[in-house]
């Protein structure tokens, strides 16, 4: 590969590394700066995932162009992180709502006719369990 | 040029890891600590990838893939344990 082309590729790799590192830093800074957990979730689940994606793109360009071998592991890590980050954020938020938050006072009422689905489903399960087992006696 | 960018990346990701450690130590709730540990693993993956670019070897990327899988599974297991009191019912 000729020299100026190499230089452009190096600039591209350095740009992606710097952008990724800045996003990782901003995500973790949001983790210590923001006031409560529901807002702290935004930093790691969005900014940090994007930062790791930037580092992975830089690594793919580096190994694909300068070294001449295409490695598939970066693609797998990217897909796995981008698929699992929303699931993790959802689970953390749900566990936080059920352990710390009060559904009557802390949460705004949702727009539809029903309440917050996670608490409504929980209440329905508890009421179903509390009912006397008449059905079993009839059968 | 890549060396300078890698040095910047190492410093930024290491500072991010220190901030995650502070959040994991301070809390105040259990889910804050779970979130901080999960973010620490993601930052460790970024650190491993930058190290692989610096050393020009792909040998560390399998460990990054394993860390990604284990961080997801452990976070889901922890949240499920807090929600239900059991991991597998």
């Amino acid at each position: 590969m000729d020299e100026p082309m190499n230089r452009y590729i190096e600039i591209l790799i350095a740009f992606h590394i710097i952008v990724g590192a800045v996003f990782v830093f901003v995500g973790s800074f949001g983790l210590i700066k923001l006031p409560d957990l529901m807002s702290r979730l935004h930093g790691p689940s969005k900014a940090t995932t994007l930062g790791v994606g930037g580092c992975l793109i830089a690594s793919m360009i580096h190994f694909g162009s300068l070294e001449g071998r295409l490695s598939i592991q970066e693609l797998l890590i990217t897909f796995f992180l981008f698929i699992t980050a929303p699931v993790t954020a959802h689970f953390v938020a749900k566990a936080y709502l059920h352990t710390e938050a009060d559904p009557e006072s802390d949460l705004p009422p949702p727009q539809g006719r029903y309440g917050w689905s996670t608490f409504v489903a929980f209440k329905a399960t508890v009421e179903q369990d509390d009912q006397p087992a008449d059905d079993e006696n009839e059968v | 040029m890549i060396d300078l960018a890698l040095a910047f990346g190492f410093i930024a990701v290491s500072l991010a890891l220190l901030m995650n450690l502070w959040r994991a130590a301070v809390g105040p709730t259990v889910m804050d600590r779970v979130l901080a540990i999960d973010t620490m693993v993601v930052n460790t993956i970024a650190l491993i990838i930058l190290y692989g670019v610096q050393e020009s070897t792909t040998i560390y990327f399998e460990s990054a893939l394993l860390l990604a899988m284990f961080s997801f599974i452990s976070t889901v297991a922890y949240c499920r344990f807090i929600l239900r009191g059991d991991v597998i019912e």
Side-chain angles (χ1 to χ4, degrees):
Chain A
M1 204 177 289
D2 53 338
E3 195 56 37
M5 191 70 192
N6 247 346
R7 184 146 188 83
Y8 285 133
I9 289 174
E10 280 194 4
I11 290 174
L12 197 63
I13 295 170
F15 173 76
H16 277 103
I17 287 176
I18 287 175
V19 167
V22 165
F23 269 103
V24 167
F25 183 81
V26 166
S28 294
F29 187 66
L31 190 67
I32 66 165
K33 183 82 170 68
L34 291 171
D36 61 341
L37 187 127
M38 293 305 262
S39 31
R40 268 178 220 142
L41 262 177
H42 291 289
S45 62
K46 298 186 187 71
T48 306
T49 311
L50 190 60
V52 176
C55 292
L56 285 159
I57 289 173
S59 169
M60 284 187 79
I61 298 171
H62 180 263
F63 287 110
S65 61
L66 298 185
E67 308 259 328
R69 56 184 170 182
L70 195 65
S71 64
I72 201 72
Q73 287 103 329
E74 286 104 328
L75 214 57
L76 282 174
I77 298 170
T78 314
F79 277 136
F80 202 81
L81 276 180
F82 275 59
I83 288 170
T84 57
V87 182
T88 307
H90 170 251
F91 256 101
V92 170
K94 190 170 177 177
Y96 174 76
L97 283 184
H98 276 276
T99 52
E100 303 290 331
D102 183 16
E104 305 294 334
S105 61
D106 289 346
L107 302 178
Q111 287 183 344
R113 284 186 296 152
Y114 306 104
W116 283 74
S117 65
T118 173
F119 291 110
V120 169
F122 175 71
K123 204 181 292 178
T125 312
V126 172
E127 284 171 359
Q128 197 176 11
D129 287 345
D130 285 344
Q131 281 176 358
D134 290 337
D135 300 340
E136 293 177 5
N137 293 336
E138 289 174 4
V139 174
Chain B
M1 178 172 288
I2 292 183
D3 295 336
L4 282 176
L6 277 175
F8 175 78
F10 279 129
I11 292 171
V13 177
S14 306
L15 284 178
L17 273 169
L18 281 178
M19 290 193 283
N20 290 336
L21 202 61
W22 190 80
R23 176 54 69 197
V26 168
T29 67
V30 180
M31 298 321 295
D32 280 309
R33 296 195 166 98
V34 175
L35 185 65
I37 299 289
D38 185 59
T39 316
M40 274 181 89
V41 178
V42 175
N43 288 358
T44 311
I45 292 169
L47 207 58
I48 288 173
I49 289 158
L50 291 182
Y51 188 68
V53 172
Q54 192 191 27
E55 299 287 319
S56 286
T57 172
T58 59
I59 203 167
Y60 301 113
F61 289 163
E62 276 90 2
S63 63
L65 192 57
L66 281 175
L67 270 179
M69 289 180 178
F70 275 110
S71 87
F72 172 65
I73 292 171
S74 60
T75 308
V76 168
Y78 211 124
C79 292
R80 206 165 160 71
F81 180 70
I82 288 174
L83 274 176
R84 308 282 298 175
D86 202 353
V87 177
I88 301 172
E89 299 174 50

